[in-house]
Every structure is written in structure tokens, then in C-alpha cells.
Amino acid sequence: MQVTETTSEGLKREFQVLLPATELEDRLNTELSNIKGKVQIKGFRPGKVPVAHLRKVYGKSVMADVLQNAVNEANQQIVADKGLRLALEPQIEFPKDEEQTIIERALDAKGDLAFKVKLEVLPSFELADLSDVSIKKLVLKPSDEEINETLERMAKDSRSFEPREDGAEAQSGDRVTIDFVGRIDGTEFEGGKGEDVDLELGSNTFIPGFEDQLVGAKVGDTRLVKVAFPADYQAEQLAGQDAEFDVTVKAVAAPGETKIDDELAKRFGMDDLEKLKEAVSKAVGADYEAQSRRKLKKELLDALDGKYAFDLPPSLVHQEFAAVWAQVEQDLKNRGKTFEDEGTTEEASQAEYRKIAERRVRLGLVLAQVGETADIKVSDDEVNQALFARIRQFPGQEKQVYDFYRNNPQALAELRAPLFEEKVVDHVLGQVQVVEEPVSKEALFAEDDEADAVTGGAATDEKPSESENEAAAEKAAG
């Protein structure tokens, strides 16, 4: 096999590979000899089939394997001999307008096999000195006021409701049980019907204006509720549409007294109120710490991005941009928006997100080299912990989720990647100066102008909402 380098420009490499017909013939005969004792052909004893007859019966199928092995061998030889680190799998290219002829002649071992191997290699760069880098870690501890607010919401959400007296009118804060049928232009629409639905008036659970029109209703009342779906409603076919609902009130119940005491704590599985407060403080504090970590990582990645400038493999950038751009287009579609609605153009947006893709690729390469240099590993136990955490997100489907990941190496690798990234980030944090800075809740959760310009790991998580803080508190308490 003859391998000749024909192009070396930046990160691109091209090689011309030639496998003479005589070598193809030798490889074919070797493979046919290897299967001679394994095949059974009528009229011949096992192991006694002439190679010429085997060639007539199996020649082309065996030669197809010979050609594939030759291509793989060429790729491996190029990478090993040149010491290359590939960005993506090699591309094989046959001469234009001759591909079919070359392959057919090679399959018959009557012509040389000639093809090009095109590669993109990873850039070489030295790891930067980070001793001059200083980043801030935002620090916030839950205040007594925040803990009390969370307890009040928990108490409100867990309170009981008692039926009002017959004939009593529903008030804001009451819970009504209703049947309803929705129509647009006189026609019922999918998802617009419900029976025995509990609705707390004033909770803003339903479409704006719906709950207000039930205040004052009594058990047995039927009301025509007229509303308009918001323009950004998630169901595109309903967004901005005027609708009417026939609503029948079946029950009206008043909320019980909201008490923050030991009984509330026991409802959440805690011994007393002090234990519940500790659990709430711990859960809310964990949310603050997670947000602080996201911001710390963002600032660290910004600092790393400013330390490196090297050529990027075009195919990796294109691949990353394609993934990012697909998300952008899907988001616009889901919201029923255009680039003009967002005050920009498609061309300007593409330029912006291409820079984001380039940043992600660059930082991904830097973090990968840091991890390799520091010999950072992710253990199978750590991957299993991440897998079981993912499984718990799908109650009732545990086996299907487990089987999916265990039978899909790529999916399992996607669990391993963020674990590796977080370990590398911790390693890099040990090389820079980290200065703690106490901040307000507003400052901690303020949006970053370039929130999307990160590597795609945990730093891309959105900040938790108030309801998520409550859920975390309840989980800790339970």
C-alpha cells in the first residue's frame, strides 16, 4: 500500500492511497484460503473446495471486505505514522466520474484501488498560565425573611379546604370544582374540555381573566366565560384566539387557616418546626450555591476564552453551529416569532451564533486538553450515579430508560461528558484566584448578557424559579 501526503494546510490534511491490483489479488486469495475450511458447498468435501471455485462463488463479497479492510488500514496507518489527533472521522474520496469503474475493477482484482483520505486534525497549543486570573464567587445565604416566605408558601399550598354553606358565593382564594367546555368560533377545540377540575380562584392557573369571571358563582351555577388566549400561548393553534367556555360550578370550598407550626412540619415528615426551618434553609441555600456555581463557571470560561487563540477544525465548528442554530429556529417556531420580531435579521443572528459555536469548540478543546494533561477520569460508579439520577426522573419507566442508556453508548457518553467537564472546571479553579463576594438575591439571579456562550455543560442550566425553590425545600423536608 502506497500512501502519499498531498495537502497540509492549517488543520486540513489529504493523502493519496494506492493499493496495486497485485496486492488486492494476494489479499483476496488469502481471505479465500481462510474461509476454505469453513464453507460447505454441495459436491465438495469440507476443506477441499478449490480456491478458484470459491472465488467464483464468493469472490466479490470477499473482495468487498478486502476493500473495506484496506480503507480502514490506510486510515489507521496514516494516523499512526503521522501521529495525528483527528477532529472527526476521515473522509474517503474516489476520483470523480471514475468511482464506479475503479471499485468494479478492484472487486474483480483487475485494477488498482486508488482513493483520497481527507482529514481534519485537532490544533496543538500550550496550556496557559492562569496564576494571574482572579474570578469572583458570588455568595448568598438564606435570610430569615426568605425562609419564612418559603414556609408561608408551603403552608398555603398544603392547607385544607372546607365546603362553604349552600348558596354561598365563591370568593377569591376559594377552591371551586368545575366542568367546562371551550369553543372557538362555536367549535370545540382539543384540550378545551374538563370535568371535576379543582381551581383556586386568584391562583392565575388558567388563562388570564378566566378565574375572575367565576368570583361570585354558586354551586350549580353555569357561566359563560369569555377569554382570549395570550399571543405567546404554547399551543400555536390557540395563540391569540378568542374563546368561550361553558362552565358549571359543582362545589365551592373555603381555604382553611394557614399555620406555620409543628403540625405543618409533621405534614412534611419533620419532627418539629425548627427541623423544617433547617431543611428549608439547607434546600434554599443549595439553590443559591448552584446558581453561584453557574456564574463562577461562566466567569472562569470567559477568562479561559481570553487566554487562547488557535485555529479551529471547520467541521467541528460547523457541527456545533448546526446544533445551536437548530435550537434557535425551533425556539422561534415554538414562540411564533421571527428574527424581525426579535429586532435582528437571520444573517446577523447566524453571525452571532457562529461566534458562540466557535467559543464552545475552543473551550471544549481547552478543557479536554486540561483533563488529559491532568489525567482526570470519570469512574464507572460516577456514571452509574448519574444514570440512576436520570432514571428517577422517569417514574414508571425505569427499565426502559435503563435499557436505553445501557444499549446506547453515545447516550451514556452524554452522561459522562458533563461529569468530566465539572471535574476539569474544579481542577482549573484550583489554579486561579477565587474571591468571594456577598451579593443580593437580585444580583445572584441576574441574567447574563452572554448566557448562551458557554460550553454546553451545567453552566447552561437556567436559574431555578421560586416554585423550584419550594419544591427543593419540600423534597429536603420529605
Side-chain angles (χ1 to χ4, degrees), residues 369-445:
Q369 183 156 323
V370 170
E372 182 180 346
T373 302
D375 195 28
I376 293 173
K377 307 290 185 184
V378 176
S379 70
D380 290 342
D381 284 344
E382 290 170 318
V383 175
N384 284 334
Q385 289 177 20
L387 173 57
F388 286 112
R390 180 64 56 86
I391 288 173
R392 286 194 294 271
Q393 297 174 4
F394 300 89
Q397 304 177 57
E398 290 84 355
K399 187 177 187 306
Q400 296 95 311
V401 176
Y402 178 84
D403 290 343
F404 170 76
Y405 278 96
R406 281 303 176 190
N407 296 324
N408 191 333
Q410 179 62 34
L412 206 58
E414 290 173 0
L415 288 180
R416 184 182 295 270
L419 299 176
F420 175 80
E421 182 177 298
E422 291 305 306
K423 282 192 167 188
V424 174
V425 167
D426 286 336
H427 176 78
V428 177
L429 285 173
Q431 300 176 336
V432 303
Q433 302 174 51
V434 179
V435 180
E436 292 190 350
E437 178 180 317
V439 294
S440 66
K441 183 177 179 180
E442 291 71 25
L444 180 63
F445 288 100

Side-chain angles (χ1 to χ4, degrees), residues 130-135 296 300 303-304 427-435:
L130 303 178
S131 59
D132 61 336
V133 174
S134 177
I135 60 176
L296 179 69
L300 177 66
L304 284 178
H427 176 78
V428 177
L429 285 173
Q431 300 176 336
V432 303
Q433 302 174 51
V434 179
V435 180

Side-chain angles (χ1 to χ4, degrees), residues 18 47 51 57 94 108 114 148 159 185 193 218-219 262 264 268 280 309 350-351 373 389 441 468:
L18 177 66
V51 171
V57 177
F94 291 92
D108 292 329
N148 289 333
R159 64 187 168 175
D185 295 330
K193 188 174 184 179
K218 304 175 183 178
V219 174
D262 289 343
L264 173 66
F268 286 95
V280 169
Q350 284 187 342
T373 302
K441 183 177 179 180
E468 287 171 329

Side-chain angles (χ1 to χ4, degrees), residues 147-158:
I147 294 172
N148 289 333
E149 287 177 354
T150 302
L151 289 171
E152 287 173 4
R153 286 193 292 271
M154 293 171 68
K156 181 180 178 181
D157 292 341
S158 64

